[in-house]
């Protein structure tokens, strides 16, 4: 709705209780998604229903949950992250097959449960397990139970036969898995299973038209939480289908296709599965099911996902303050940097790996890197001096020497004025050169 459309549904009393001077101003903010309807205490129930329906997200939020956490997909509002941001990162699931047996499933689930890596201070791991009934006659319920015994992560249950999927859903009672999948031939039975289990349901079809027909039918049958699989497995068709689905939902407001998407990178025949998974992360998948757990392949996918789904207006930051590296003493060097997470960890890791003890003052630069913060006026002599004085480092040192990043050597004169009695040393431009600098320059200064 436009601002004028919304204005016509408001009480038009200009009471200012919403925080805006007029109802028209409030309507314009609502249209720009810069205000919430609940701020108006006098809107009628009829108008509220119309406005809430119009303001519903273009892509429905779908939640899957395990005993150890939950994963949300959907609610995205843009095609490109620089337009605003992406809100819900895609879930990365590893597929295990029921025919492998309970022991193998438990072992795989334990490995996934234990896998946790550190990336610039952020803990990253696989989000869940997809259990597939891959052969006739397998005990799907036992396979799901085995996965639950070894892991508390969310589940995706995969079966083509409704009665088999029902066994898995029964074994997953108490949690909320994603059920995969309804198709043209079985959607009625799959809908009943999803409603009984109160779980989201994936729907698959070979065309967008058929997907829209099935989602409409499933919604009419009472299943609201859906996930779409356009059955496009190769790079070109998958990119085209996923982009069309996102564009139809976000740009055209086509509600019948406004649901999260699921991708299966390992089913591509023409390209490596890791490449397909990277494409799925970048281009709109809400759930990604990979085949086999290889930490060397999973780690770069987790890092890629983290970078894409970090708000571009809010860089990853660390807490400003004083940090100790390798148990520094009063003669250890004192360095300064910004609170951009990658910058901090680059400096910390290089110094820590070299064995040098050191003190590191992290300045609040609003999450910007050294050169960017300096250019934006967020890393200047006054801020650095405030950070140094604020952490009371002077009382812990036998010297007054501060190492400044080489990229902002121009600040050295101003910083000497802002920190009277301190000697400002210009360090290297790159963190990788810090160990050599400390050995050759700082070592000579301390002799």
């Amino acid at each position: 709705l436009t601002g004028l459309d919304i204005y016509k549904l408001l009480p038009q009393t200009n009471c200012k209780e919403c925080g805006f001077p007029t109802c028209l101003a409030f309507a314009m903010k609502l249209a720009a998604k810069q205000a919430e309807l609940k701020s108006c205490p006098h809107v009628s129930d009829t108008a509220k229903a119309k406005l809430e329906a119009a303001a519903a997200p273009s892509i429905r939020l779908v939640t899957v949950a395990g005993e150890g956490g939950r994963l949300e997909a959907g609610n995205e509002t843009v095609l490109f992250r620089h337009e605003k941001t992406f809100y819900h990162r895609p879930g990365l699931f590893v597929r295990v097959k029921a025919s492998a047996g309970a022991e193998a499933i438990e072992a795989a689930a334990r490995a996934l449960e234990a896998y946790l890596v550190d990336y610039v201070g952020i803990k990253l791991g696989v989000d869940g397990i997809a259990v597939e009934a891959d052969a006739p006659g397998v005990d799907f319920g036992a396979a799901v139970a085995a996965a639950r015994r070894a892991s508390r992560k969310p589940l995706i249950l995969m079966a083509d036969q409704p009665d088999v999927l029902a066994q898995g859903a029964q074994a997953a009672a108490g949690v909320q898995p994603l059920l995969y999948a309804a198709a043209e031939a079985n959607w009625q039975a799959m809908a009943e299973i999803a409603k009984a289990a109160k779980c989201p349901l994936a729907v698959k079809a070979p065309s967008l038209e058929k997907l829209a027909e099935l989602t409409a039918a499933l919604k009419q049958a009472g299943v609201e939480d859906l996930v779409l699989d356009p059955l496009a497995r190769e790079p070109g068709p998958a990119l085209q289908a996923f982009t069309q689905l996102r564009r139809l939902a976000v740009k055209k407001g086509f509600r019948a296709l406004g649901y999260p998407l699921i991708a299966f990178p390992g089913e591509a025949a023409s390209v490596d599965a890791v490449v397909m998974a990277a494409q799925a992360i970048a281009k709109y998948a809400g759930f990604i099911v990979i085949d086999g757990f290889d930490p060397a392949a999973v780690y770069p996918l987790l890092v890629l996902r983290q970078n894409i789904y970090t708000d571009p207006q809010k860089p990853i930051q660390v807490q400003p303050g004083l940090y100790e590296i390798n148990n520094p003493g009063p003669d250890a060097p004192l360095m300064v940097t910004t609170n951009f997470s990658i910058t901090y960890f680059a400096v910390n890791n290089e110094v820590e790996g070299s064995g040098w003890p050191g003190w590191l003052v992290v300045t609040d630069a609003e999450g910007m890197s050294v050169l960017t913060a300096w250019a934006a006026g967020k890393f200047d002599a006054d801020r650095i001096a405030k950070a140094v004085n604020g952490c009371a480092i002077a009382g812990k040192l036998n010297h007054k020497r501060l190492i400044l990043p080489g990229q902002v050597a121009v600040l050295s004169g101003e910083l000497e004025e802002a920190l009277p009695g301190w000697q400002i040393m210009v360090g290297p431009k790159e963190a990788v050169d810090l160990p050599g600098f400390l050995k050759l320059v700082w070592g000579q200064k301390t002799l």
Side-chain angles (χ1 to χ4, degrees):
L1 298 178
T2 66
L4 289 177
D5 293 331
I6 296 173
Y7 174 70
K8 293 175 183 178
L9 295 171
L10 294 178
Q12 302 177 22
T13 59
N14 297 332
C15 67
K16 302 181 178 62
E17 292 184 38
C18 61
F20 296 94
T22 65
C23 288
L24 180 59
F26 179 57
M28 293 303 176
K29 290 294 184 180
L30 283 174
K33 301 187 185 300
Q34 296 175 353
E36 296 183 359
L37 182 61
K38 64 182 181 181
S39 299
C40 177
H42 304 299
V43 64
S44 68
D45 291 339
T46 302
K48 183 183 294 186
K50 291 181 179 179
L51 289 170
E52 287 178 345
S58 301
I59 300 176
R60 184 175 178 85
L61 185 67
V62 173
T63 301
V64 296
E67 294 168 328
R70 56 197 287 126
L71 175 77
E72 295 179 333
N75 255 17
E76 304 299 343
T77 59
V78 294
L79 282 172
F80 308 106
R81 69 186 290 267
H82 64 264
E83 295 177 306
K84 193 173 183 180
T85 187
F86 293 161
Y87 290 102
H88 295 100
R89 64 186 189 181
L92 200 63
F93 288 71
V94 175
R95 174 157 44 185
V96 296
K97 297 186 177 183
S99 60
E103 186 175 344
I105 292 173
E106 284 192 40
R110 278 194 295 270
L112 295 174
E113 185 76 16
Y115 180 72
L116 197 65
V117 293
D118 186 285
Y119 172 68
V120 293
I122 302 170
K123 301 298 183 182
L124 303 178
V126 174
D127 298 286
I129 303 168
V131 186
E132 181 184 20
D134 61 314
V138 297
D139 190 339
F140 191 46
V144 173
R148 289 190 66 183
R149 283 195 297 271
S151 174
R152 295 163 54 86
K153 294 181 179 293
L155 297 170
I156 297 177
L157 307 185
M158 303 175 60
D160 291 328
Q161 300 301 320
D163 57 336
V164 176
L165 190 62
Q167 294 175 12
Q170 185 176 3
V175 296
Q176 190 176 34
L178 171 64
L179 306 180
Y180 181 95
E184 185 176 10
N186 65 8
W187 68 266
Q188 296 97 332
M190 292 295 194
E192 293 303 317
I193 295 170
K195 287 193 295 182
K198 298 181 180 180
C199 292
L201 177 65
V203 52
K204 60 182 180 180
S207 70
L208 304 193
E209 293 81 4
K210 184 57 68 174
L211 269 178
E213 291 176 12
L214 286 174
T215 59
L218 286 164
K219 187 174 181 180
Q220 184 69 26
V223 182
E224 296 284 346
D225 293 332
L226 300 172
V227 174
L228 307 182
D229 179 8
L231 294 175
R233 299 295 187 253
E234 299 304 317
L239 179 61
Q240 181 178 9
F242 278 49
T243 302
Q244 285 179 327
L245 285 164
R246 180 65 160 255
R247 187 175 293 276
L248 284 167
V250 171
K251 294 297 185 183
K252 302 298 183 181
F254 188 52
R255 299 287 187 184
L257 295 176
Y259 299 96
L261 311 178
I262 187 169
F264 296 88
E267 295 182 10
S270 64
V271 70
D272 186 82
V274 176
V275 175
M276 280 300 298
Q279 175 178 293
I281 290 170
K283 288 299 180 180
Y284 314 136
F287 301 88
I288 301 170
V289 179
I290 62 176
D291 294 299
F293 175 59
D294 179 5
V298 168
Y299 179 73
L301 293 176
L302 293 174
V303 171
L304 173 66
R305 183 183 67 176
Q306 184 64 37
N307 289 339
I308 291 176
Y309 281 80
T310 295
D311 188 340
Q313 299 179 11
K314 298 178 181 178
I316 305 172
Q317 305 178 28
V318 297
Q319 185 68 28
L322 180 65
Y323 289 79
E324 300 180 7
I325 304 173
N326 293 331
N327 299 314
D331 295 319
L334 174 65
M335 298 156 283
V336 65
T337 191
T338 68
N339 68 326
F340 180 44
S341 186
I342 294 177
T343 298
Y344 162 76
F345 279 98
V347 173
N348 180 84
N349 290 347
E350 291 295 339
V351 177
E352 186 177 50
S354 71
W356 270 87
W359 304 90
L360 181 60
V361 174
V362 175
T363 305
D364 185 1
E366 299 182 12
M368 299 181 188
S369 63
V370 169
L371 202 55
T372 304
W374 171 75
K378 306 297 183 181
F379 189 58
D380 54 25
D382 290 338
R383 285 184 180 239
I384 296 172
K386 182 179 178 180
V388 171
N389 292 327
C391 67
I393 183 61
K396 301 177 182 180
L397 300 177
N398 291 336
H399 62 83
K400 284 193 171 183
R401 294 193 300 278
L402 176 65
I403 300 174
L404 186 68
Q407 289 181 325
V408 290
V410 67
L411 292 177
S412 57
E414 298 177 19
L415 193 53
E416 285 184 345
E417 294 180 4
L419 288 172
W422 283 80
Q423 176 188 353
I424 307 304
M425 301 173 65
V426 177
K429 292 183 178 181
E430 304 294 337
V432 70
D433 297 320
L434 265 172
F437 174 86
L438 294 175
K439 180 178 180 181
L440 297 176
V441 180
W442 183 268
Q444 292 297 324
K445 291 285 186 181
T446 56
L447 291 177

